[in-house]
Amino acid sequence: MNEPLLEVKDINVEYRLREKVVKAVRGINLRINKKEIVGIVGESGCGKSTLAMTFLKLVDSPGKITSGQIIYHGKTDIDVLKLKPSGLRKYRWKEVSMIFQGSMNALNPVTRIEEQIMDTMLEHGYDQETALKRVDELLRVAGLNPSVKNSFPHELSGGMKQRVNIAISLACEPSLVIADEATTALDVVVQRQIMARLLKLRDELGISLVFITHDISLVANIADRVYVMYAGKVVENAPVEELFYNPKHPYTIALLNSIPSIQKDKKIKGIPGTPPDLSKPIKGCPFAPRCNKAFDKCHEVEPDLISIGQDHEVSCHLYG
Ligand code: SF4
């Protein structure tokens, strides 16, 4: 499981708007190993969806990947950001696919599910006969009865629609699936079912998964490694148990303290304040205005991400 599948090297993304430039992703390094589940967590606007889009070279105007490299280790190594449209067509969905945020509403309301799943395969070079045969199998893998293929989206519940999206993401047999807030619009019971299904897919199909969420508790039982993002940067990353039982960054600790608990004596603590405006220059640690451990240096110097042992990295002046 320690063989790298996708490596992200010092990636930077900006959104160039009329009056300002928003630095959404700022120098992120990240690695996804084969058959690994990686959680990327952080509040809305921290850059996690933008980061995920770089894995597929999907950042579009006014967004721009200004520097960095994405290397995909498939049968051969692929420098993703240098791919031309024909290369991208072979890479997207066949190597890496994505379940988009709000994708429950992405299904075509006037087309039956079978046709929608087949379209994905036909677009990526499958012949009609093979595509037709694979529909039942894909629906079964996503935890649905194959008879669902005859339905229109409005005939399905939210959880069923999201499972159809999982089937579509698996249609071209990718090695990596990125699930961007894939369960956000669902109730907690269906959320857990979808998470369990994704975990099973890793075990059955041997794929890697990236799970992007604002809810840190969702990745606790599923991820092997967790990256915590704040203000366009990774501020802490570690294997899941290390991160949950030995969190170091005050932001990670605050996120964990904000998880509701069934224990009577645990009070939920919100995180005061709001994330910084990424169109303005950041001086010092971006979390400083909200951090109860901030001291003078925090307001002057932005901390680097440093190793603190045990495969654990943190970006905070309290360490190193
Ligand atoms: Fe808090 Fe300072 Fe650490 Fe930032 S660097 S998280 S402000 S203690």
Side-chain angles (χ1 to χ4, degrees):
M1 194 143 99
N2 285 330
E3 230 184 302
L5 179 64
L6 190 94
E7 288 184 278
V8 175
K9 299 180 179 180
D10 198 19
I11 204 87
N12 286 276
V13 183
E14 292 177 357
Y15 287 95
R16 294 178 182 182
L17 308 175
R18 201 176 298 164
E19 289 137 17
K20 55 187 180 181
V21 176
V22 178
K23 298 194 171 180
V25 171
R26 304 185 298 131
I28 285 186
N29 292 288
L30 179 145
R31 170 175 152 152
I32 300 151
N33 290 329
K34 290 183 179 164
K35 300 185 189 175
E36 186 178 49
I37 300 184
V38 168
I40 301 178
V41 301
E43 285 163 289
S44 297
C46 71
K48 53 193 190 303
S49 294
T50 298
L51 172 67
M53 287 202 290
T54 66
F55 302 171
L56 283 153
K57 203 184 175 189
L58 275 174
V59 177
D60 207 356
S61 177
K64 190 168 193 273
I65 299 171
T66 52
S67 62
Q69 223 184 358
I70 311 267
I71 305 293
Y72 175 79
H73 301 284
K75 285 184 194 112
T76 57
D77 287 355
I78 298 173
D79 192 338
V80 177
L81 300 184
K82 289 195 175 147
L83 286 175
K84 302 273 182 266
S86 61
L88 275 174
R89 200 164 191 78
K90 288 184 193 142
Y91 170 73
R92 289 178 183 157
W93 243 256
K94 283 191 165 174
E95 305 292 349
V96 181
S97 69
M98 193 161 182
I99 306 167
F100 290 98
Q101 202 168 357
S103 60
M104 276 198 315
N105 302 319
L107 297 172
N108 186 334
V110 293
T111 309
R112 290 187 198 276
I113 299 301
E114 180 177 56
E115 203 180 319
Q116 304 202 37
I117 299 176
M118 280 184 66
D119 274 354
T120 310
M121 288 183 272
L122 297 176
E123 276 293 310
H124 289 87
Y126 284 73
D127 60 65
Q128 181 87 12
E129 197 185 338
T130 313
L132 194 58
K133 272 191 200 151
R134 275 182 58 71
V135 172
D136 285 13
E137 180 197 332
L138 286 163
L139 288 170
R140 235 179 258 121
V141 167
L144 289 167
N145 189 307
S147 63
V148 162
K149 68 184 176 189
N150 299 315
S151 307
F152 289 98
H154 73 269
E155 296 174 299
L156 307 180
S157 68
M160 290 167 89
K161 280 191 264 191
Q162 197 57 306
R163 283 168 196 260
V164 170
N165 281 306
I166 292 174
I168 290 173
S169 75
L170 298 170
C172 303
E173 302 167 85
S175 299
L176 172 63
V177 175
I178 302 156
D180 185 5
E181 300 278 11
T183 62
T184 300
L186 305 171
D187 65 66
V188 284
V189 176
V190 180
Q191 258 186 10
R192 297 289 153 181
Q193 289 170 353
I194 297 278
M195 299 297 285
R197 175 56 54 179
L198 289 172
L199 190 56
K200 224 171 162 207
L201 289 179
R202 188 273 297 268
D203 297 338
E204 285 174 1
L205 306 179
I207 58 173
S208 304
L209 274 165
V210 175
F211 207 87
I212 294 167
T213 178
H214 63 276
D215 181 354
I216 195 167
S217 66
L218 263 187
V219 293
N221 295 323
I222 182 171
D224 300 301
R225 169 169 284 277
V226 179
Y227 288 80
V228 179
M229 279 186 69
Y230 189 77
K233 280 195 166 187
V234 170
V235 293
E236 184 162 15
N237 78 83
V240 69
E241 285 197 9
E242 169 75 1
L243 191 103
F244 276 79
Y245 290 113
N246 191 21
K248 295 294 185 202
H249 196 284
Y251 179 61
T252 311
I253 295 168
L255 282 180
L256 291 170
N257 284 338
S258 68
I259 299 174
S261 167
I262 52 172
Q263 290 161 356
K264 272 192 205 146
D265 51 352
K266 190 193 166 192
K267 280 200 182 138
I268 303 174
K269 287 188 206 150
I271 308 174
T274 52
D277 180 347
L278 294 177
S279 68
K280 302 210 168 110
I282 289 178
K283 188 177 174 203
C285 170
F287 191 56
R290 307 171 78 186
C291 181
N292 58 10
K293 300 243 171 72
F295 54 104
D296 289 351
K297 186 179 178 186
C298 303
H299 297 282
E300 297 298 326
V301 183
E302 186 162 13
D304 291 327
L305 189 68
I306 56 158
S307 170
I308 52 165
Q310 289 288 323
D311 202 14
H312 191 158
E313 291 181 319
V314 69
S315 159
C316 172
H317 290 311
L318 293 172
Y319 310 96

